[in-house]
Short mmCIF file of all heavy atoms in Angstrom, two decimals:
data_model
loop_
_atom_site.label_atom_id
_atom_site.label_comp_id
_atom_site.label_asym_id
_atom_site.label_seq_id
_atom_site.Cartn_x
_atom_site.Cartn_y
_atom_site.Cartn_z
N HIS D 1 12.09 -39.37 90.97
CA HIS D 1 12.46 -39.25 92.39
C HIS D 1 12.36 -37.80 92.86
O HIS D 1 11.87 -37.52 93.94
CB HIS D 1 13.87 -39.80 92.64
CG HIS D 1 13.97 -41.27 92.41
ND1 HIS D 1 13.23 -42.20 93.12
CD2 HIS D 1 14.72 -41.99 91.54
CE1 HIS D 1 13.53 -43.42 92.70
NE2 HIS D 1 14.42 -43.32 91.74
N TRP D 2 12.85 -36.88 92.04
CA TRP D 2 12.78 -35.46 92.35
C TRP D 2 11.32 -35.02 92.52
O TRP D 2 10.98 -34.32 93.47
CB TRP D 2 13.47 -34.67 91.25
CG TRP D 2 13.37 -33.19 91.40
CD1 TRP D 2 14.22 -32.37 92.09
CD2 TRP D 2 12.37 -32.35 90.82
NE1 TRP D 2 13.79 -31.08 91.99
CE2 TRP D 2 12.66 -31.04 91.22
CE3 TRP D 2 11.27 -32.59 90.02
CZ2 TRP D 2 11.88 -29.96 90.83
CZ3 TRP D 2 10.49 -31.52 89.64
CH2 TRP D 2 10.80 -30.22 90.04
N GLY D 3 10.45 -35.45 91.60
CA GLY D 3 9.03 -35.11 91.68
C GLY D 3 8.37 -35.67 92.93
O GLY D 3 7.52 -35.02 93.54
N GLU D 4 8.77 -36.88 93.32
CA GLU D 4 8.21 -37.49 94.54
C GLU D 4 8.59 -36.66 95.77
O GLU D 4 7.77 -36.45 96.66
CB GLU D 4 8.72 -38.93 94.71
CG GLU D 4 8.27 -39.89 93.63
CD GLU D 4 6.78 -39.99 93.46
OE1 GLU D 4 6.03 -39.77 94.44
OE2 GLU D 4 6.33 -40.28 92.34
N GLU D 5 9.83 -36.17 95.80
CA GLU D 5 10.26 -35.34 96.92
C GLU D 5 9.44 -34.05 96.98
O GLU D 5 9.02 -33.62 98.06
CB GLU D 5 11.76 -35.01 96.81
CG GLU D 5 12.65 -36.20 97.07
CD GLU D 5 12.50 -36.75 98.48
OE1 GLU D 5 12.44 -35.95 99.43
OE2 GLU D 5 12.44 -37.99 98.63
N LYS D 6 9.23 -33.43 95.83
CA LYS D 6 8.41 -32.20 95.78
C LYS D 6 7.00 -32.48 96.29
O LYS D 6 6.43 -31.69 97.03
CB LYS D 6 8.34 -31.65 94.35
CG LYS D 6 9.60 -31.01 93.87
CD LYS D 6 9.75 -29.64 94.46
CE LYS D 6 10.86 -28.88 93.77
NZ LYS D 6 11.27 -27.71 94.53
N ARG D 7 6.41 -33.60 95.86
CA ARG D 7 5.04 -33.95 96.28
C ARG D 7 4.97 -34.25 97.77
O ARG D 7 3.98 -33.93 98.41
CB ARG D 7 4.54 -35.15 95.49
CG ARG D 7 4.03 -34.80 94.13
CD ARG D 7 3.42 -36.03 93.46
NE ARG D 7 2.88 -35.66 92.17
CZ ARG D 7 3.60 -35.61 91.06
NH1 ARG D 7 4.87 -35.91 91.07
NH2 ARG D 7 3.03 -35.27 89.93
N ARG D 8 6.00 -34.91 98.30
CA ARG D 8 6.00 -35.18 99.74
C ARG D 8 6.00 -33.88 100.54
O ARG D 8 5.34 -33.76 101.56
CB ARG D 8 7.19 -36.05 100.13
CG ARG D 8 6.90 -37.54 100.00
CD ARG D 8 7.95 -38.39 100.67
NE ARG D 8 9.16 -38.57 99.88
CZ ARG D 8 9.28 -39.37 98.83
NH1 ARG D 8 8.24 -40.06 98.41
NH2 ARG D 8 10.41 -39.48 98.20
N ALA D 9 6.75 -32.91 100.07
CA ALA D 9 6.82 -31.62 100.75
C ALA D 9 5.54 -30.81 100.56
O ALA D 9 5.10 -30.09 101.46
CB ALA D 9 8.03 -30.82 100.23
N ASP D 10 4.91 -30.94 99.38
CA ASP D 10 3.71 -30.16 99.04
C ASP D 10 2.90 -30.93 98.01
O ASP D 10 3.14 -30.80 96.80
CB ASP D 10 4.12 -28.79 98.50
CG ASP D 10 2.93 -27.93 98.08
OD1 ASP D 10 1.77 -28.36 98.25
OD2 ASP D 10 3.17 -26.81 97.58
N PRO D 11 1.92 -31.76 98.45
CA PRO D 11 1.17 -32.61 97.50
C PRO D 11 0.47 -31.85 96.37
O PRO D 11 0.24 -32.42 95.31
CB PRO D 11 0.14 -33.30 98.40
CG PRO D 11 0.74 -33.27 99.76
CD PRO D 11 1.53 -31.99 99.83
N GLY D 12 0.16 -30.59 96.54
CA GLY D 12 -0.54 -29.84 95.50
C GLY D 12 0.36 -29.00 94.62
O GLY D 12 -0.12 -28.28 93.74
N PHE D 13 1.68 -29.10 94.78
CA PHE D 13 2.62 -28.25 94.06
C PHE D 13 2.38 -28.25 92.55
O PHE D 13 2.21 -27.20 91.93
CB PHE D 13 4.06 -28.68 94.38
CG PHE D 13 5.12 -27.83 93.74
CD1 PHE D 13 5.52 -26.65 94.33
CD2 PHE D 13 5.72 -28.23 92.56
CE1 PHE D 13 6.51 -25.86 93.75
CE2 PHE D 13 6.70 -27.45 91.96
CZ PHE D 13 7.10 -26.26 92.56
N PHE D 14 2.38 -29.42 91.93
CA PHE D 14 2.24 -29.51 90.48
C PHE D 14 0.80 -29.30 90.03
O PHE D 14 0.55 -28.77 88.95
CB PHE D 14 2.78 -30.84 89.97
CG PHE D 14 4.25 -31.02 90.27
CD1 PHE D 14 4.67 -31.99 91.15
CD2 PHE D 14 5.20 -30.19 89.71
CE1 PHE D 14 6.02 -32.15 91.46
CE2 PHE D 14 6.55 -30.33 90.00
CZ PHE D 14 6.96 -31.31 90.88
N CYS D 15 -0.16 -29.68 90.86
CA CYS D 15 -1.58 -29.47 90.54
C CYS D 15 -1.89 -27.97 90.45
O CYS D 15 -2.53 -27.52 89.50
CB CYS D 15 -2.48 -30.13 91.58
SG CYS D 15 -2.31 -31.93 91.68
N ARG D 16 -1.43 -27.22 91.44
CA ARG D 16 -1.66 -25.77 91.42
C ARG D 16 -1.02 -25.13 90.20
O ARG D 16 -1.61 -24.26 89.56
CB ARG D 16 -1.13 -25.12 92.70
CG ARG D 16 -2.05 -25.28 93.89
CD ARG D 16 -1.63 -24.39 95.06
NE ARG D 16 -0.23 -24.54 95.42
CZ ARG D 16 0.26 -25.52 96.19
NH1 ARG D 16 -0.57 -26.44 96.68
NH2 ARG D 16 1.54 -25.59 96.47
N ALA D 17 0.20 -25.55 89.88
CA ALA D 17 0.88 -25.00 88.71
C ALA D 17 0.13 -25.32 87.43
O ALA D 17 0.04 -24.48 86.52
CB ALA D 17 2.32 -25.53 88.64
N ALA D 18 -0.45 -26.50 87.34
CA ALA D 18 -1.16 -26.92 86.12
C ALA D 18 -2.44 -26.12 85.90
O ALA D 18 -2.79 -25.80 84.76
CB ALA D 18 -1.48 -28.41 86.16
N VAL D 19 -3.17 -25.80 86.96
CA VAL D 19 -4.46 -25.12 86.80
C VAL D 19 -4.34 -23.60 86.78
O VAL D 19 -5.31 -22.92 86.46
CB VAL D 19 -5.48 -25.54 87.89
CG1 VAL D 19 -5.69 -27.04 87.88
CG2 VAL D 19 -5.07 -25.06 89.27
N GLU D 20 -3.16 -23.10 87.08
CA GLU D 20 -2.96 -21.65 87.10
C GLU D 20 -3.34 -21.03 85.75
O GLU D 20 -2.82 -21.41 84.71
CB GLU D 20 -1.49 -21.35 87.41
CG GLU D 20 -1.21 -19.89 87.64
CD GLU D 20 0.24 -19.68 88.06
OE1 GLU D 20 0.62 -20.26 89.10
OE2 GLU D 20 0.94 -18.99 87.34
N GLY D 21 -4.29 -20.14 85.77
CA GLY D 21 -4.72 -19.45 84.55
C GLY D 21 -5.74 -20.20 83.71
O GLY D 21 -6.19 -19.69 82.69
N ALA D 22 -6.12 -21.41 84.09
CA ALA D 22 -7.10 -22.17 83.31
C ALA D 22 -8.48 -21.58 83.52
O ALA D 22 -8.92 -21.39 84.65
CB ALA D 22 -7.09 -23.64 83.73
N VAL D 23 -9.17 -21.25 82.42
CA VAL D 23 -10.47 -20.57 82.51
C VAL D 23 -11.62 -21.35 81.88
O VAL D 23 -12.77 -20.97 82.04
CB VAL D 23 -10.40 -19.16 81.85
CG1 VAL D 23 -9.42 -18.28 82.61
CG2 VAL D 23 -10.01 -19.26 80.38
N HIS D 24 -11.33 -22.43 81.17
CA HIS D 24 -12.38 -23.21 80.51
C HIS D 24 -13.24 -23.92 81.55
O HIS D 24 -12.75 -24.29 82.61
CB HIS D 24 -11.76 -24.24 79.57
CG HIS D 24 -11.02 -23.62 78.43
ND1 HIS D 24 -9.75 -23.10 78.56
CD2 HIS D 24 -11.39 -23.42 77.15
CE1 HIS D 24 -9.36 -22.62 77.39
NE2 HIS D 24 -10.33 -22.79 76.52
N PRO D 25 -14.51 -24.17 81.24
CA PRO D 25 -15.36 -24.88 82.20
C PRO D 25 -15.02 -26.36 82.37
O PRO D 25 -15.31 -26.94 83.41
CB PRO D 25 -16.77 -24.71 81.64
CG PRO D 25 -16.60 -24.35 80.22
CD PRO D 25 -15.27 -23.68 80.08
N VAL D 26 -14.37 -26.97 81.37
CA VAL D 26 -13.98 -28.38 81.47
C VAL D 26 -12.48 -28.48 81.30
O VAL D 26 -11.91 -27.97 80.34
CB VAL D 26 -14.68 -29.24 80.38
CG1 VAL D 26 -14.20 -30.69 80.44
CG2 VAL D 26 -16.20 -29.17 80.52
N TRP D 27 -11.86 -29.15 82.27
CA TRP D 27 -10.42 -29.41 82.20
C TRP D 27 -10.22 -30.91 82.12
O TRP D 27 -10.77 -31.66 82.91
CB TRP D 27 -9.70 -28.93 83.45
CG TRP D 27 -9.87 -27.49 83.81
CD1 TRP D 27 -10.30 -26.47 83.02
CD2 TRP D 27 -9.62 -26.91 85.09
NE1 TRP D 27 -10.31 -25.30 83.72
CE2 TRP D 27 -9.90 -25.53 84.99
CE3 TRP D 27 -9.17 -27.41 86.31
CZ2 TRP D 27 -9.75 -24.67 86.06
CZ3 TRP D 27 -9.02 -26.55 87.36
CH2 TRP D 27 -9.30 -25.19 87.24
N VAL D 28 -9.40 -31.33 81.19
CA VAL D 28 -8.97 -32.72 81.13
C VAL D 28 -7.53 -32.72 81.63
O VAL D 28 -6.65 -32.15 80.99
CB VAL D 28 -9.05 -33.30 79.70
CG1 VAL D 28 -8.45 -34.71 79.66
CG2 VAL D 28 -10.47 -33.29 79.19
N VAL D 29 -7.32 -33.31 82.79
CA VAL D 29 -5.95 -33.43 83.31
C VAL D 29 -5.45 -34.77 82.80
O VAL D 29 -5.84 -35.82 83.29
CB VAL D 29 -5.92 -33.35 84.85
CG1 VAL D 29 -4.48 -33.38 85.35
CG2 VAL D 29 -6.63 -32.08 85.34
N SER D 30 -4.63 -34.70 81.77
CA SER D 30 -4.32 -35.89 80.97
C SER D 30 -3.33 -36.84 81.62
O SER D 30 -3.20 -37.97 81.16
CB SER D 30 -3.78 -35.46 79.61
OG SER D 30 -2.54 -34.78 79.77
N ASP D 31 -2.63 -36.41 82.65
CA ASP D 31 -1.57 -37.27 83.18
C ASP D 31 -1.56 -37.34 84.70
O ASP D 31 -0.50 -37.36 85.31
CB ASP D 31 -0.22 -36.83 82.64
CG ASP D 31 0.10 -35.37 82.96
OD1 ASP D 31 -0.77 -34.66 83.50
OD2 ASP D 31 1.24 -34.95 82.70
N THR D 32 -2.73 -37.42 85.29
CA THR D 32 -2.81 -37.63 86.74
C THR D 32 -2.38 -39.06 87.00
O THR D 32 -2.93 -39.99 86.42
CB THR D 32 -4.26 -37.41 87.23
OG1 THR D 32 -4.67 -36.12 86.83
CG2 THR D 32 -4.35 -37.54 88.73
N ARG D 33 -1.39 -39.24 87.89
CA ARG D 33 -0.82 -40.58 88.08
C ARG D 33 -0.76 -41.03 89.52
O ARG D 33 -0.39 -42.16 89.80
CB ARG D 33 0.59 -40.62 87.51
CG ARG D 33 0.59 -40.41 86.02
CD ARG D 33 1.99 -40.33 85.51
NE ARG D 33 1.99 -40.15 84.08
CZ ARG D 33 2.83 -40.73 83.26
NH1 ARG D 33 3.73 -41.54 83.73
NH2 ARG D 33 2.76 -40.52 81.98
N ARG D 34 -1.09 -40.15 90.44
CA ARG D 34 -0.95 -40.49 91.86
C ARG D 34 -2.23 -40.20 92.61
O ARG D 34 -2.95 -39.26 92.29
CB ARG D 34 0.19 -39.69 92.48
CG ARG D 34 1.54 -40.12 91.97
CD ARG D 34 2.59 -39.08 92.28
NE ARG D 34 3.86 -39.46 91.70
CZ ARG D 34 4.18 -39.24 90.43
NH1 ARG D 34 3.34 -38.65 89.62
NH2 ARG D 34 5.36 -39.62 89.97
N LEU D 35 -2.46 -40.97 93.66
CA LEU D 35 -3.63 -40.77 94.49
C LEU D 35 -3.64 -39.36 95.08
O LEU D 35 -4.68 -38.72 95.16
CB LEU D 35 -3.67 -41.81 95.61
CG LEU D 35 -4.88 -41.78 96.53
CD1 LEU D 35 -6.18 -41.90 95.75
CD2 LEU D 35 -4.77 -42.88 97.58
N SER D 36 -2.48 -38.84 95.44
CA SER D 36 -2.41 -37.48 96.01
C SER D 36 -2.91 -36.43 95.02
O SER D 36 -3.51 -35.43 95.41
CB SER D 36 -1.00 -37.14 96.47
OG SER D 36 -0.08 -37.16 95.40
N ASP D 37 -2.69 -36.66 93.71
CA ASP D 37 -3.20 -35.73 92.69
C ASP D 37 -4.72 -35.76 92.66
O ASP D 37 -5.38 -34.72 92.65
CB ASP D 37 -2.66 -36.08 91.30
CG ASP D 37 -1.15 -35.98 91.18
OD1 ASP D 37 -0.53 -35.18 91.94
OD2 ASP D 37 -0.58 -36.69 90.33
N VAL D 38 -5.28 -36.95 92.62
CA VAL D 38 -6.74 -37.10 92.60
C VAL D 38 -7.34 -36.48 93.85
O VAL D 38 -8.33 -35.75 93.79
CB VAL D 38 -7.16 -38.59 92.46
CG1 VAL D 38 -8.66 -38.75 92.61
CG2 VAL D 38 -6.68 -39.15 91.13
N GLU D 39 -6.74 -36.77 95.00
CA GLU D 39 -7.24 -36.22 96.27
C GLU D 39 -7.19 -34.70 96.27
O GLU D 39 -8.11 -34.05 96.75
CB GLU D 39 -6.44 -36.79 97.44
CG GLU D 39 -6.75 -38.26 97.69
CD GLU D 39 -5.81 -38.90 98.71
OE1 GLU D 39 -4.71 -38.35 98.99
OE2 GLU D 39 -6.19 -39.97 99.24
N TRP D 40 -6.12 -34.12 95.72
CA TRP D 40 -6.01 -32.67 95.67
C TRP D 40 -7.15 -32.07 94.86
O TRP D 40 -7.81 -31.13 95.30
CB TRP D 40 -4.65 -32.24 95.09
CG TRP D 40 -4.46 -30.75 95.14
CD1 TRP D 40 -3.95 -30.03 96.19
CD2 TRP D 40 -4.82 -29.79 94.13
NE1 TRP D 40 -3.96 -28.69 95.88
CE2 TRP D 40 -4.50 -28.52 94.63
CE3 TRP D 40 -5.38 -29.89 92.86
CZ2 TRP D 40 -4.70 -27.35 93.90
CZ3 TRP D 40 -5.59 -28.73 92.14
CH2 TRP D 40 -5.26 -27.48 92.65
N PHE D 41 -7.40 -32.60 93.66
CA PHE D 41 -8.48 -32.07 92.82
C PHE D 41 -9.83 -32.24 93.50
O PHE D 41 -10.66 -31.34 93.48
CB PHE D 41 -8.47 -32.72 91.43
CG PHE D 41 -7.46 -32.10 90.51
CD1 PHE D 41 -6.22 -32.69 90.33
CD2 PHE D 41 -7.75 -30.92 89.85
CE1 PHE D 41 -5.29 -32.10 89.49
CE2 PHE D 41 -6.82 -30.32 89.01
CZ PHE D 41 -5.58 -30.92 88.84
N ARG D 42 -10.07 -33.39 94.12
CA ARG D 42 -11.34 -33.61 94.81
C ARG D 42 -11.49 -32.67 96.01
O ARG D 42 -12.57 -32.14 96.26
CB ARG D 42 -11.49 -35.06 95.24
CG ARG D 42 -11.80 -35.96 94.06
CD ARG D 42 -12.07 -37.37 94.50
NE ARG D 42 -12.57 -38.17 93.38
CZ ARG D 42 -12.44 -39.47 93.29
NH1 ARG D 42 -11.84 -40.15 94.25
NH2 ARG D 42 -12.91 -40.11 92.24
#
């Protein structure tokens, strides 16, 4: 529930935090679970 509230306020909040500092050419985001996450990456 807490995570849903954070996403409603800022859909990219956790996505931005996850990719921060990632430098590899291929990223496997192992636990994308919501359409808003997929939309953010796209």
Side-chain angles (χ1 to χ4, degrees):
H1 294 300
W2 175 88
E4 296 303 332
E5 290 298 317
K6 287 283 191 195
R7 280 186 177 85
R8 273 193 280 285
D10 178 3
F13 183 83
F14 299 114
C15 297
R16 281 192 308 279
V19 303
E20 188 175 301
V23 297
H24 295 79
V26 176
W27 304 342
V28 174
V29 184
S30 65
D31 57 353
T32 304
R33 296 175 179 220
R34 290 164 185 82
L35 183 56
S36 62
D37 297 333
V38 173
E39 289 171 341
W40 185 87
F41 279 98
R42 285 185 171 154

